[in-house]
Amino acid sequence: DAGVTQSPTHLIKTRGQHVTLRCSPISGHKSVSWYQQVLGQGPQFIFQYYEKEERGRGNFPDRFSARQFPNYSSELNVNALLLGDSALYLCASSSSTSTFQETQYFGPGTRLLVL
Amino acid sequence: AQSVTQLGSHVSVSEGALVLLRCNYSSSVPPYLFWYVQYPNQGLQLLLKYTSAATLVKGINGFEAEFKKSETSFHLTKPSAHMSDAAEYFCAVSGQTGANNLFFGTGTRLTVIP
């Protein structure tokens, strides 16, 4: 079975622009989470979606938004890009959100560079 | 609030030597703990997880971790390092506050010397 897939793999944008990152979860998984990993740091939680509803949000500004589609794929949108938004954006899927011991399976990430 | 601290941003071991990567956690509730590995230019792969079933958890690639409540630790070990173990290792704790999110440590880069 295919794992979590993300597109694009790499992206270069300039300050002030908008970016959309895409994620397809493992087949059968209904929960998608987004993380930002700045170089040299651990991933930081941005959003979780389950059954198209936002279940949690990390400490990120309103420039960051996301949505989940009926097929459980997800998009992460970032407006008014700043240099500090340069990072690896990771998507993770899990089968449910009902237990906190649920394993999250990560995709390869999208590396965003803001110039 | 949940958090983890990884001691040592870089660890170097000789091939065949013991690997010990340290992780201490802080949690207001019984924690669920995870170790993930990240190879260069790749996403995160789950090595093992602690869910209170057993204090000694065995994972993939010969890794294991022991949950010690008295020390609030969840250190990762492997008896004999292999060159292919060179990677970044992250300890994480489950948020347990609504969203099923993870709080990650800052990571430990493992170098294996031939």
Side-chain angles (χ1 to χ4, degrees):
Chain A
D1 284 342
V4 177
T5 59
Q6 294 186 242
S7 62
T9 56
H10 295 81
L11 206 51
I12 300 175
K13 293 285 188 179
T14 57
R15 281 177 296 175
Q17 284 189 313
H18 162 89
V19 69
T20 298
L21 310 181
R22 295 177 175 83
C23 170
S24 292
I26 291 171
S27 178
H29 283 191
K30 298 181 179 180
S31 174
V32 170
S33 297
W34 287 95
Y35 291 81
Q36 180 196 64
Q37 185 180 15
V38 173
L39 194 62
Q41 299 292 322
Q44 279 198 296
F45 172 70
I46 310 175
F47 285 110
Q48 185 193 30
Y49 275 77
Y50 179 72
E51 293 278 16
K52 297 176 289 181
E53 291 188 1
E54 182 182 303
R55 288 300 182 93
R57 182 185 183 116
N59 188 25
F60 281 80
D62 291 344
R63 299 185 296 108
F64 288 77
S65 64
R67 56 179 177 169
Q68 187 176 33
F69 299 99
N71 66 354
Y72 304 112
S73 67
S74 177
E75 283 183 353
L76 175 69
N77 295 282
V78 187
N79 293 322
L81 285 167
L82 303 174
L83 295 180
D85 295 331
S86 296
L88 179 68
Y89 288 84
L90 295 164
C91 175
S93 76
S94 59
S95 58
S96 74
T97 187
S98 61
T99 64
F100 297 112
Q101 59 185 290
E102 193 75 36
T103 296
Q104 295 192 35
Y105 297 88
F106 285 81
T110 293
R111 190 164 296 281
L112 172 64
L113 177 61
V114 182
L115 301 176
Chain B
Q2 282 71 32
S3 67
V4 294
T5 301
Q6 292 184 244
L7 300 176
S9 58
H10 291 86
V11 170
S12 293
V13 300
S14 298
E15 191 175 15
L18 171 72
V19 175
L20 170 60
L21 305 182
R22 300 178 186 275
C23 173
N24 288 90
Y25 70 89
S26 174
S27 178
S28 54
V29 296
Y32 296 121
L33 295 159
F34 305 78
W35 274 100
Y36 282 87
V37 61
Q38 187 176 36
Y39 297 101
N41 300 313
Q42 294 188 27
L44 301 172
Q45 180 182 9
L46 180 70
L47 279 175
L48 49 81
K49 67 178 182 181
Y50 169 75
T51 58
S52 77
T55 56
L56 183 63
V57 183
K58 294 188 182 299
I60 62 171
N61 301 337
F63 284 94
E64 63 182 35
E66 186 172 10
F67 173 75
K68 292 187 177 180
K69 183 178 178 180
S70 61
E71 299 177 8
T72 62
S73 69
F74 190 57
H75 301 331
L76 182 70
T77 60
K78 181 174 181 178
S80 177
H82 192 274
M83 295 299 294
S84 61
D85 295 327
E88 188 95 22
Y89 292 81
F90 293 95
C91 181
V93 62
S94 177
Q96 300 190 55
T97 53
N100 184 20
N101 59 295
L102 297 172
F103 292 93
F104 285 87
T106 52
T108 297
R109 181 167 298 279
L110 176 67
T111 299
V112 182
I113 304 167

